[in-house]
């Protein structure tokens, strides 16, 4: 396989690159080819193993894996074009789909936000067509699980939608083709991407250098936008099923030392700190929180935990709310020293 379908790893977005304390393994756990591994607490990408299925791009909480041959912009344009027609067919390669369709590298590429956006834009019938013997069929439980979540949300909101995954009748043996693609990968030159994809990779790399270091991922913004539209359509103010898609940090006041490390490392700005009048306040923008767990991973006092099923009202509201407030602690600097000493396995001396 050439490099056109293989994702680009945006290291500066990756939680493992941002801080060595991160325990995130979302892409590693999802990759069906073991092309992504964590070694010495860093994420490594073995491009020779990658088949370009896009599974990793659908689960990364920070959009750190980008498919250059099929960008989010291209997919959103396709969804916005097809959804108002009332029906959408998402098709994987070699699935034997005819007629109007949105062709994906794999159905594993479809995260929940894309399915919910399609429904919010008017789709009442969505079919996901996969090929026999393909990576999609091998990981069908992932696809059906996502379908189940979307169905529960729509049922709760009384929004009728037909959503199903269907095995196609391919003209070629997809499993055989996949086997030989993997076999030939080791024999291919390292740089086999088309000029168009090389240009797209360069454009993405330039964009990454110019973007803010603290940012809310596009996938999170898309999910919130879709849910807002679905709630408007249904006339309901809340959805317990949709709330299960979100997490939010909680802080144990008895354990917290007030070091403010958690807002300092938050990659989306969901946690922010304010200090005035000898008081530390931590603010939470629940809609910006991706559940990446970096705040909990970094906390030396184990004071931060992630609370599953955040309030949807908090998630969809714009202003940040006070999460935690306390008087400044003189021991806070000592905690920083303890944290640093533990990381370098040596005592820290003040100068």
């Amino acid at each position: 396989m050439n490099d056109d379908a293989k994702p680009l790893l945006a290291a500066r977005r990756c939680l493992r690159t941002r801080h060595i304390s991160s325990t995130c393994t979302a892409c590693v756990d999802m990759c069906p080819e073991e092309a992504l591994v964590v070694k010495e607490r860093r994420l490594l990408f073995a491009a020779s193993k990658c088949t370009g299925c896009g599974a990793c791009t659908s689960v990364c909480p920070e959009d750190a894996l980008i498919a250059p041959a099929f960008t989010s912009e291209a997919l959103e344009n396709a969804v916005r074009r097809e959804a108002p027609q009332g029906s959408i067919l998402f098709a994987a390669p070699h699935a034997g789909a005819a007629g109007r369709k949105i062709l994906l590298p794999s159905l594993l590429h479809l995260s929940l936000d894309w399915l919910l956006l399609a429904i919010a834009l008017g789709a009442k019938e969505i079919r996901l067509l996969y090929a026999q013997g393909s990576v999609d069929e091998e990981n069908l439980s992932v696809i059906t699980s996502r379908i189940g979540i979307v169905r529960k949300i729509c049922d709760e909101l009384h929004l009728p939608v037909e959503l199903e995954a269907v095995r196609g009748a391919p003209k070629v043996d997809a499993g055989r083709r996949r086997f030989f693609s993997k076999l030939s990968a080791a024999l291919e030159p390292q740089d086999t991407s088309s000029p168009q994809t090389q240009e797209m990779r360069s454009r993405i790399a330039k964009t990454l250098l110019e973007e803010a270091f603290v940012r809310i991922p596009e996938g999170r913004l898309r999910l919130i936008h879709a849910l807002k539209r679905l709630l408007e359509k249904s006339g309901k103010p809340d959805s317990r099923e949709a709330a299960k898609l979100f997490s939010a940090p909680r802080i144990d006041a008895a354990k917290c030392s007030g070091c403010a490390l958690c807002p300092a490392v938050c990659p989306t700005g969901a946690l922010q700190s304010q200090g005035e009048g000898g008081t530390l306040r931590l603010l939470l923008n629940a809609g910006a929180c991706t559940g990446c767990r970096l705040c909990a991973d970094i906390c030396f006092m184990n004071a931060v935990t992630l609370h599953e099923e955040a309030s949807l009202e908090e998630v969809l509201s714009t202003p940040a709310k006070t999460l935690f407030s306390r008087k400044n602690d003189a021991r806070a600097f000592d905690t920083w020293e303890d944290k640093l000493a533990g990381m370098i396995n040596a005592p820290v001396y003040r100068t």
Side-chain angles (χ1 to χ4, degrees):
M1 171 180 286
N2 63 31
D3 289 340
D4 286 3
K6 296 179 181 180
L8 174 69
L9 174 59
R12 73 192 309 268
R13 291 182 180 179
C14 178
L15 295 165
R16 289 278 179 172
T17 301
R18 293 178 79 101
H19 204 285
I20 198 169
S21 294
S22 173
T23 60
C24 181
T25 57
C27 60
V28 175
D29 296 339
M30 177 58 69
C31 181
E33 308 299 338
E34 298 183 355
L36 290 155
V37 295
V38 173
K39 188 174 182 180
E40 297 180 354
R41 303 185 71 84
R42 296 291 186 187
L43 180 67
L44 301 178
F45 176 44
S48 62
K49 293 184 178 180
C50 178
T51 60
C53 70
C56 56
T57 65
S58 69
V59 294
C60 178
E62 302 304 320
D63 293 345
L65 289 143
I66 306 167
F70 198 76
T71 62
S72 295
E73 182 182 3
L75 181 52
E76 183 161 343
N77 289 339
V79 170
R80 289 186 177 278
R81 182 183 66 246
E82 298 297 326
Q85 308 301 319
S87 114
I88 290 186
L89 171 62
F90 292 104
H94 320 304
R100 295 176 67 94
K101 60 183 176 293
I102 298 177
L103 188 61
L104 299 169
S106 156
L107 297 183
L108 293 171
H109 191 88
L110 277 179
S111 48
L112 292 170
D113 50 292
W114 291 116
L115 295 172
L116 290 168
L117 179 64
I119 297 167
L121 292 174
K124 292 182 171 58
E125 179 184 357
I126 303 177
R127 286 192 303 146
L128 281 61
L129 198 66
Y130 61 91
Q132 182 178 356
S134 66
V135 67
D136 290 326
E137 187 168 57
E138 292 175 7
N139 295 273
L140 193 58
S141 60
V142 174
I143 297 167
T144 54
S145 174
R146 292 174 183 175
I147 288 174
I149 292 170
V150 173
R151 281 177 178 164
K152 285 180 180 179
I153 293 173
C154 292
D155 287 346
E156 183 185 25
L157 298 179
H158 303 296
L159 296 173
V161 62
E162 293 182 22
L163 178 59
E164 62 177 344
V166 182
R167 187 170 72 178
K171 295 179 181 179
V172 298
D173 186 334
R176 214 175 139 79
R177 180 184 288 267
R178 181 165 168 247
F179 169 77
F180 283 110
S181 293
K182 290 169 65 176
L183 186 65
S184 63
L187 303 176
E188 291 181 349
Q190 288 297 311
D191 187 7
T192 57
S193 57
S194 66
Q196 293 87 349
T197 307
Q198 289 179 4
E199 181 183 350
M200 179 59 72
R201 284 179 180 269
S202 298
R203 194 182 310 164
I204 291 172
K206 182 180 179 182
T207 301
L208 290 171
L209 289 174
E210 295 173 349
E211 76 178 12
F213 191 61
V214 176
R215 56 179 284 281
I216 303 176
E218 292 177 10
R220 179 49 46 117
L221 294 173
R222 192 163 43 243
L223 177 61
I224 290 175
H225 172 69
L227 287 173
K228 283 182 176 179
R229 293 193 63 157
L230 291 173
L231 289 174
E232 289 172 3
K233 277 189 172 187
S234 69
K236 288 180 172 284
D238 202 356
S239 165
R240 288 292 303 276
E241 292 298 330
K244 294 177 182 178
L245 303 180
F246 299 91
S247 302
R250 295 290 184 266
I251 297 179
D252 186 335
K255 295 180 179 179
C256 179
S257 69
C259 70
L261 267 174
C262 47
V265 300
C266 180
T268 66
L271 279 174
Q272 303 166 21
S273 63
Q274 288 182 349
E276 52 187 32
T279 299
L280 171 69
R281 292 176 64 221
L282 294 183
L283 306 180
L284 172 65
N285 177 359
C289 179
T290 62
C292 74
R293 296 191 56 82
L294 189 53
C295 55
D297 291 337
I298 193 68
C299 183
F300 186 66
M301 306 300 289
N302 296 320
V304 185
T305 56
L306 225 59
H307 177 72
E308 303 297 329
E309 193 173 326
S311 163
L312 200 60
E313 182 181 358
E314 289 183 6
V315 168
L316 299 182
S317 65
T318 304
K321 297 183 179 180
T322 299
L323 174 67
F324 177 76
S325 179
R326 63 166 296 157
K327 291 292 183 181
N328 287 337
D329 190 340
R331 298 174 304 146
F333 190 77
D334 294 336
T335 302
W336 276 83
E337 290 182 344
D338 290 342
K339 179 69 175 175
L340 185 58
M343 290 173 62
I344 64 176
N345 195 28
V348 176
Y349 299 97
R350 297 184 185 180
T351 58

